[in-house]
Amino acid sequence: DSSKQKQVIMLRKILYVVLALFSVSTLYAQSGALKGTVKDTDGNGVPFANIVVERNGNQVAGTTTDFDGNYTLKPIPAGKFTVLVSSVGYQKKQINGVLINADKTRFMDIEVAETSIKLDEIEVVEYKVPLISKDQTQSGGTVTAEDIEKMSGRSAESVAATVGGVYQEDGEVKSVRGAREEATTYYIDGIKVRGSKGLPKSAIEEVSVVTGGLAAKYGDATGGIISITTKGPSRKFFGSAELMTSVDGYSDNLAAVSIS
């Protein structure tokens, strides 16, 4: 009996380790990073400045700058965030709408003003997405939640079809850059998916299509990659309601409600 109990305990420990490794790998697979330097108005690095990344009032990540004012924050899930910067002797700064993409590093240098008087006000600025990404090593495109809301398509495949190099037919992706249909690989939150990929449009944070320059983690892919990232936890409820009917006599009716 004692030997059986030891075997059961050992199997439980192995299972816990496997689940922990799987969770960590999934987190890193669908996360990005934020990197840059905090500088004063003279261009000098600000050491030991506090940097906090928030979304919907929840802290997602945080760090402090080194002696030269450099910082790196990872992993950060895909989406838009608010970045707060504070340091003794400097005015606090808040940057809204910082866009983080999965598997990419966003470079952002932050300038803070010196002050010798304690100020209650916070400088608030809106983040602007740069035209050129410094770590862009692959071809394709990414469609964010803001753009998805404006689209008429209801599925992730219809969203992916808006990226150059993707061919669709009847709402389904048929090929990426001329490859066979079965050569296109789908990922949802870093997990390879076969079969149904049905997700409500309101639950999608971004859809990334990789048409060339595949990363090492996609080593078994022979065509394109369509990676779907869902929205993370939030203090607020969100959802959508959709009603569609045809007027051409084909009785093509659709009603859908999604709440999360």
Side-chain angles (χ1 to χ4, degrees):
D1 293 337
S2 61
S3 61
K4 289 184 179 180
Q5 290 179 352
K6 290 181 179 179
Q7 290 178 355
V8 171
I9 295 174
M10 181 61 67
L11 289 174
R12 286 180 179 177
K13 289 182 179 179
I14 293 174
L15 180 61
Y16 291 153
V17 172
V18 171
L19 290 175
L21 292 175
F22 179 77
S23 301
V24 171
S25 63
T26 301
L27 174 64
Y28 276 84
Q30 289 301 111
S31 62
L34 183 65
K35 187 175 183 179
T37 305
V38 178
K39 304 177 181 179
D40 59 21
T41 52
D42 295 326
N44 301 316
V46 178
F48 310 118
N50 296 314
I51 303 174
V52 176
V53 177
E54 293 184 350
R55 177 160 65 179
N56 299 326
N58 298 320
Q59 181 174 332
V60 177
T63 188
T64 57
T65 59
D66 59 16
F67 286 99
D68 299 318
N70 301 317
Y71 71 91
T72 300
L73 276 167
K74 64 180 181 180
I76 304 175
K80 281 194 171 183
F81 300 88
T82 298
V83 177
L84 304 174
V85 183
S86 62
S87 182
V88 177
Y90 294 89
Q91 184 177 352
K92 293 181 180 179
K93 192 164 189 175
Q94 175 177 320
I95 306 173
N96 296 331
V98 178
L99 180 63
I100 302 296
N101 298 120
D103 302 326
K104 293 182 180 180
T105 299
R106 179 69 66 192
F107 292 90
M108 184 175 69
D109 292 339
I110 306 170
E111 184 179 286
V112 291
E114 296 182 27
T115 177
S116 56
I117 303 174
K118 184 178 180 180
L119 300 176
D120 293 329
E121 63 182 81
I122 300 176
E123 182 183 0
V124 178
V125 296
E126 194 70 21
Y127 176 75
K128 294 182 179 179
V129 180
L131 295 176
I132 300 175
S133 179
K134 294 182 180 180
D135 70 332
Q136 184 69 34
T137 59
Q138 56 194 19
S139 59
T142 300
V143 185
T144 61
E146 283 188 353
D147 297 325
I148 293 173
E149 289 178 358
K150 302 173 185 176
M151 295 180 178
S152 58
R154 301 185 304 274
S155 65
E157 288 187 296
S158 63
V159 174
T162 62
V163 177
V166 179
Y167 169 71
Q168 76 158 353
E169 186 177 312
D170 297 329
E172 296 182 359
V173 173
K174 294 298 182 181
S175 69
V176 176
R177 295 185 70 176
R180 295 189 183 96
E181 182 178 356
E182 58 269 18
T184 301
T185 307
Y186 291 83
Y187 286 82
I188 298 179
D189 288 338
I191 300 175
K192 195 178 203 177
V193 176
R194 298 185 184 276
S196 175
K197 297 164 284 294
L199 282 174
K201 188 167 67 172
S202 60
I204 300 175
E205 181 63 45
E206 71 174 26
V207 177
S208 298
V209 180
V210 183
T211 58
L214 300 180
K217 66 179 181 179
Y218 303 131
D220 59 342
T222 57
I225 299 293
I226 298 179
S227 179
I228 305 166
T229 303
T230 59
K231 292 182 177 178
S234 173
R235 291 182 177 179
K236 300 179 181 179
F237 286 96
F238 65 88
S240 65
E242 185 177 10
L243 178 64
M244 184 185 74
T245 184
S246 63
V247 294
D248 50 11
Y250 289 102
S251 299
D252 184 11
N253 304 314
L254 174 68
V257 178
S258 172
I259 300 176
S260 178

